[in-house]
Amino acid sequence: MKCTAAVLCLLTSLLAGTAPAQQQLPEGPGQSTMKRICSPCHSAENVIGRGKTREEWGETVGNMVERGARGTDEEFYEIVDYLVKYFPKSAASNKVYVNRAGPKELERELQLTTNEAEAVVRYRGQHGDFKTFDDLKKVPGLDAPKLETKKERLAFS
């Protein structure tokens, strides 16, 4: 597997936005490899707070490889092992960070229509971050009752 920084930038952007800027990656096997290969494009907050299965992390890293990330097969396997150990899929990792999510993530994670997801992002851009679910309900064209069933997955930090 050969990778470029662009691939690892994508990895981080896919995992974006769940922790304060000064968060640190947990110590453990694979941390230094991940920092060395991924940090030129990505910060720790791009993976902290996200969780995926081994298959999902492997697919994410594989996508980075396809986009040109540079490293050896062993290094990428080490990164996947690290991500699986320290960022496993769990209920907490299923949070959707409404103030950071792009339209595609909102569509996929909350089963919004393309128009609804774009309306959320547009409204956020015009009015600032959402602080509560009630703020989110103000988005024109958003089916708030449908979203109410997913309320526990929403995060506004």
Side-chain angles (χ1 to χ4, degrees), residues 19-89:
Q22 297 302 314
Q23 280 283 23
Q24 298 294 315
L25 293 170
E27 294 289 332
Q31 179 206 39
S32 62
T33 302
M34 185 168 167
K35 280 183 173 180
R36 180 174 43 79
I37 291 177
C38 303
S39 68
C41 295
H42 310 292
S43 61
E45 61 259 16
N46 290 80
V47 294
I48 293 173
R50 297 289 179 157
K52 296 184 178 199
T53 64
R54 176 171 297 280
E55 292 75 22
E56 292 167 332
W57 281 124
E59 183 177 316
T60 299
V61 172
N63 287 336
M64 295 299 138
V65 171
E66 288 174 10
R67 294 175 181 264
R70 292 182 186 242
T72 66
D73 286 351
E74 293 77 22
E75 289 170 324
F76 291 113
Y77 290 127
E78 185 178 3
I79 290 170
V80 170
D81 289 344
Y82 175 81
L83 291 168
V84 169
K85 180 174 181 176
Y86 293 101
F87 305 101
K89 191 164 202 162

Side-chain angles (χ1 to χ4, degrees), residues 8 15 20:
L8 294 171
L15 309 172

Side-chain angles (χ1 to χ4, degrees), residues 1-153:
M1 293 184 207
K2 294 200 175 191
C3 295
T4 65
V7 171
L8 294 171
C9 289
L10 176 62
L11 170 63
T12 303
S13 66
L14 291 173
L15 309 172
T18 59
Q22 297 302 314
Q23 280 283 23
Q24 298 294 315
L25 293 170
E27 294 289 332
Q31 179 206 39
S32 62
T33 302
M34 185 168 167
K35 280 183 173 180
R36 180 174 43 79
I37 291 177
C38 303
S39 68
C41 295
H42 310 292
S43 61
E45 61 259 16
N46 290 80
V47 294
I48 293 173
R50 297 289 179 157
K52 296 184 178 199
T53 64
R54 176 171 297 280
E55 292 75 22
E56 292 167 332
W57 281 124
E59 183 177 316
T60 299
V61 172
N63 287 336
M64 295 299 138
V65 171
E66 288 174 10
R67 294 175 181 264
R70 292 182 186 242
T72 66
D73 286 351
E74 293 77 22
E75 289 170 324
F76 291 113
Y77 290 127
E78 185 178 3
I79 290 170
V80 170
D81 289 344
Y82 175 81
L83 291 168
V84 169
K85 180 174 181 176
Y86 293 101
F87 305 101
K89 191 164 202 162
S90 68
S93 67
N94 290 327
K95 290 284 187 187
V96 177
Y97 291 81
V98 183
N99 291 318
R100 297 181 181 139
K104 292 295 182 193
E105 182 180 358
L106 292 170
E107 281 183 65
R108 181 182 65 248
E109 296 297 326
L110 300 175
Q111 289 76 51
L112 297 181
T113 66
T114 299
N115 288 339
E116 287 175 316
E118 289 173 353
V120 168
V121 172
R122 188 171 40 255
Y123 188 92
R124 182 179 70 207
Q126 294 170 347
H127 300 279
D129 285 353
F130 301 101
K131 293 181 178 36
T132 67
F133 183 71
D134 287 335
D135 292 340
L136 188 60
K137 292 190 315 188
K138 295 175 186 175
V139 175
L142 182 65
D143 184 354
K146 174 176 77 172
L147 200 55
E148 183 85 35
T149 64
K150 298 169 183 74
K151 187 176 176 179
E152 73 283 347
R153 292 195 54 217

